[in-house]
């Protein structure tokens, strides 16, 4: 193992010693922030915050992990669970290299495909979790879960769900109207 990798030198520092950078273009929606909170609450910190040390200010400046920092900074239960500290690694980069590293970290995360998420939800339901479990553990709203269920096309996923006319497509609505009109003419 190469001990030059930053992850081999994770350390816990007081959250007041850590600051955001002033250039990160990454924004996270409220739903994902709530999910990050749930993730840290349930799983703990599984990734350190990547920083550079600014010796003039005696602060660790975030390169990647602002939202993990933000969750600790703004949630007393998380902060107290870590005794007011956050896990960091320190890299040594100039400002352009830091910005490039921030972008690489952000872009490397990728995104979840809807089909992949639907398949995972189907497996979780098949393995015994109910809608409430999935919504709570994945940070989803019931409507979002319902849409994922609908995408899978598996009727089994709808076994405990009340039918809602809003799920019908325009073509289905027109077809139903024709059927009702034809039935009324008889």
């Amino acid at each position: 193992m190469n001990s030059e990798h930053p992850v081999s030198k994770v350390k816990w520092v007081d959250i007041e010693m850590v600051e955001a950078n002033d250039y990160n273009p990454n924004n996270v929606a409220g739903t994902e922030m709530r999910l990050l909170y749930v993730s840290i609450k349930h799983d703990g910190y599984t990734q350190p915050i990547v920083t550079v040390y600014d010796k003039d200010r005696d602060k660790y400046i975030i390169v990647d992990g602002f939202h993990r920092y933000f969750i600790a900074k703004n949630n007393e239960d998380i902060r107290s669970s870590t005794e007011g500290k956050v896990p960091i690694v320190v890299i040594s980069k100039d400002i352009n290299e830091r910005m490039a590293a921030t972008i690489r970290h952000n872009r490397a995360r990728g995104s979840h495909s809807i089909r992949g998420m639907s398949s995972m939800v189907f497996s979780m339901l098949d393995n015994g979790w109910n809608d409430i479990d999935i919504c709570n553990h994945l940070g989803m709203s019931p409507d979002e879960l319902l849409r994922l269920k609908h995408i899978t096309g598996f009727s089994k996923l709808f076994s405990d769900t009340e039918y809602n006319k809003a799920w019908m497509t325009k073509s289905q609505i027109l077809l139903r109207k024709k059927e009702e009109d034809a039935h009324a003419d008889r």
Side-chain angles (χ1 to χ4, degrees):
M1 175 181 76
N2 183 343
S3 64
E4 292 181 29
H5 286 278
V7 75
S8 67
K9 298 174 186 157
V10 175
K11 60 184 177 177
W12 288 86
V13 300
D14 190 284
I15 197 164
E16 299 307 321
M17 292 292 299
V18 180
E19 284 186 0
N21 64 52
D22 59 2
Y23 58 81
N24 191 352
N26 191 21
N27 289 310
V28 174
T31 300
E32 283 76 18
M33 285 300 288
R34 285 187 295 279
L35 181 57
L36 180 58
Y37 167 81
V38 169
S39 174
I40 294 171
K41 179 92 174 151
H42 285 264
D43 306 323
Y45 274 94
T46 58
Q47 297 177 354
I49 298 165
V50 180
T51 67
V52 294
Y53 180 69
D54 182 332
K55 78 176 162 187
D56 293 337
R57 297 177 55 218
D58 190 30
K59 297 280 186 180
Y60 295 95
I61 310 302
I62 298 171
V63 173
D64 181 67
F66 169 77
H67 297 100
R68 294 186 297 277
Y69 157 82
F70 184 84
I71 292 295
K73 187 91 169 153
N74 292 287
N75 292 278
E76 177 58 35
D77 58 336
I78 301 294
R79 196 170 48 256
S80 66
S81 76
T82 62
E83 299 175 359
K85 297 179 184 300
V86 289
I88 68 163
V89 295
V90 181
I91 61 175
S92 180
K93 304 278 184 184
D94 70 27
I95 186 65
N96 283 342
E97 290 171 326
R98 277 185 256 162
M99 286 194 235
T102 297
I103 297 300
R104 283 192 299 269
H105 280 88
N106 290 346
R107 295 190 71 195
R109 281 186 190 87
S111 61
H112 296 283
S113 73
I114 291 174
R115 185 160 307 283
M117 283 290 292
S118 298
S119 178
M120 287 176 62
V121 164
F122 177 80
S123 293
M124 290 171 163
L125 288 164
D126 204 35
N127 290 330
W129 272 15
N130 61 36
D131 289 8
I132 294 168
D133 292 329
I134 290 172
C135 288
N136 287 339
H137 287 273
L138 301 185
M140 293 178 153
S141 70
D143 286 342
E144 185 180 10
L145 175 59
L146 193 57
R147 285 191 300 273
L148 283 175
K149 285 180 168 183
H150 185 70
I151 289 166
T152 66
F154 293 105
S155 60
K156 179 179 178 182
L157 297 179
F158 291 97
S159 63
D160 65 345
T161 305
E162 186 177 319
Y163 173 76
N164 184 332
K165 190 173 181 177
W167 299 345
M168 296 175 65
T169 65
K170 279 186 180 180
S171 297
Q172 290 171 315
I173 292 169
L174 291 173
L175 183 59
R176 176 169 279 175
K177 182 157 176 35
K178 279 184 183 180
E179 289 173 356
E180 289 171 355
D181 289 346
H183 187 65
D185 289 339
R186 291 185 195 164

